[in-house]
Amino acid sequence: MAPKKKIIVLVGLMGCGKTRVGVELARLMNLPFVDSDKEIERAAGMAIPDIFERLGEPEFRRGEKKVMTRLLAGGDKVLATGGGAFIQADIRSEIKNKGLSVWLKAGLDTLVDRTSRTDHRPLLQGIDKETKLKELMDLRYPVYAEADVTVLTDGQTPFEMAKQIRGELESLGW
Ligand code: S3P
């Protein structure tokens, strides 16, 4: 695969570790780290739960697309995305054009465990997390599987994951 711009895009379901792994990977690769959810919050001047509550999910998705388009047009970086970003077809094809996607694939137990530690995710609020995550796995895993690289995250630390991803990228000539 020919190296394009060095934009490494981490994708995967809520709780798979995109942010924590992204920070470690950026450090290892000497690249800036950017979290698209944080950029959406900055652009909206509101936290994500407030965007969902006050403006609704469709407006969040529009903001997500705008912010992702801007970030993908910019310079080299490690980019952690929200779990739904790669599921939007327009964003996915932009990622394919501009960057290299890495799916952090996790099993249900890992996702339930990691998302249970916090309560800031609107899609998981007030419902049984395990049922919702299982539903999202069924819907989204076939789409995440289109990523350029897949790594399994169960039982691994963010630093171990970052080293593994760097190894995969090196073998692709990045
Ligand atoms: C979402 C995932 C969240 C955030 C929003 C929607 C999703 O990001 O973008 O709550 O659709 O899966 P994380 O994957 O970082 O939790």
Side-chain angles (χ1 to χ4, degrees):
M1 196 179 313
K4 300 172 254 190
K5 261 192 305 193
K6 268 204 167 55
I7 301 185
I8 300 157
V9 186
L10 303 183
V11 307
L13 210 47
M14 294 172 276
C16 70
K18 297 169 298 245
T19 301
R20 287 155 56 96
V21 173
V23 168
E24 296 291 348
L25 183 63
R27 211 192 324 255
L28 274 183
M29 301 203 52
N30 236 332
L31 289 171
F33 172 72
V34 180
D35 185 320
S36 70
D37 279 343
K38 289 274 166 296
E39 293 297 312
I40 295 167
E41 290 185 323
R42 200 201 311 263
M46 250 185 268
I48 285 176
D50 295 327
I51 303 177
F52 270 72
E53 198 184 314
R54 294 194 213 161
L55 308 177
E57 183 172 348
E59 191 55 33
F60 170 77
R61 297 297 171 198
R62 273 191 285 279
E64 182 171 55
K65 188 170 153 195
K66 251 199 220 164
V67 163
M68 284 295 296
T69 303
R70 170 170 62 77
L71 295 173
L72 290 165
D76 296 353
K77 59 179 77 66
V78 174
L79 175 56
T81 63
F86 198 67
I87 306 304
Q88 293 199 54
D90 291 352
I91 297 180
R92 190 162 66 254
S93 79
E94 200 61 9
I95 292 173
K96 284 181 183 167
N97 288 336
K98 304 270 172 60
L100 184 127
S101 49
V102 180
W103 176 22
L104 307 191
K105 184 176 183 183
L108 184 59
D109 290 350
T110 300
L111 297 175
V112 172
D113 181 48
R114 293 195 190 143
T115 56
S116 297
R117 294 177 203 161
T118 57
D119 205 20
H120 65 271
R121 292 182 169 95
L123 294 182
L124 298 180
Q125 259 161 11
I127 47 162
D128 181 60
K129 288 188 173 59
E130 183 167 346
T131 308
K132 182 66 184 181
L133 284 164
K134 173 78 180 66
E135 185 188 303
L136 289 172
M137 280 174 88
D138 291 344
L139 284 172
R140 293 181 174 181
Y141 273 25
V143 183
Y144 294 138
E146 293 180 32
D148 297 307
V149 171
T150 296
V151 287
L152 302 177
T153 76
D154 299 311
Q156 303 244 53
T157 66
F159 184 59
E160 285 165 349
M161 290 307 309
K163 279 194 297 187
Q164 191 186 331
I165 294 168
R166 183 179 60 177
E168 297 274 352
L169 298 179
E170 277 170 3
S171 69
L172 291 173
W174 271 55

